[in-house]
Amino acid sequence: MTAPKSTAEDRRIKRHAVEWNGSILVGADLSEIRCLIRNISTIGVRLAVAPNENIPNQFLLKIPNGAKTFRCRLVWRKHCELGAEFVGTRPRWRQS
């Protein structure tokens, strides 16, 4: 018997669809790569970046909605989208 395919509804941690502009900060000089935050949860984030952007395995993500910066680890990448998990401090927000 094969296991059923996992869907977004099967996730343990609820993801929140958002359309936030953000910044990926990389290197010693914290160079800025603009991104679009597509969804976010307490453990990770899905981002859209320009084609051919060189995103390192670890980076800082600046979320302007609250002016917070979080350390992230790249988990997957497919074309212009990538998934990352938060390392250390994780975002918290109130839903309306």
Side-chain angles (χ1 to χ4, degrees), residues 40-45 61 70-72 84-91:
I40 190 168
S41 73
T42 57
I43 62 170
V45 65
L61 175 64
F70 299 95
R71 191 171 305 279
C72 294
E85 70 177 340
F86 295 113
V87 178
T89 304
R90 296 178 177 177

Side-chain angles (χ1 to χ4, degrees), residues 5-94:
K5 288 187 178 180
S6 178
T7 65
E9 292 76 29
D10 294 337
R11 294 181 189 266
R12 291 179 306 140
I13 306 296
K14 183 170 174 56
R15 293 178 184 254
H16 303 277
V18 296
E19 291 279 328
W20 295 342
N21 291 314
S23 299
I24 296 170
L25 307 175
V26 297
D29 63 348
L30 297 179
S31 297
E32 185 175 340
I33 300 170
R34 293 190 175 270
C35 65
L36 179 65
I37 302 167
R38 298 277 190 179
N39 71 36
I40 190 168
S41 73
T42 57
I43 62 170
V45 65
R46 183 171 59 118
L47 307 171
V49 296
N52 302 318
E53 283 289 2
N54 186 19
I55 308 298
N57 288 333
Q58 298 212 4
F59 57 89
L60 295 175
L61 175 64
K62 183 176 179 184
I63 302 175
N65 299 36
K68 300 279 185 172
T69 302
F70 299 95
R71 191 171 305 279
C72 294
R73 183 180 70 82
L74 185 65
V75 176
W76 59 267
R77 180 165 191 165
K78 185 173 183 179
H79 305 293
C80 296
E81 291 197 319
L82 57 95
E85 70 177 340
F86 295 113
V87 178
T89 304
R90 296 178 177 177
R92 289 181 281 165
W93 64 90
R94 279 194 273 154

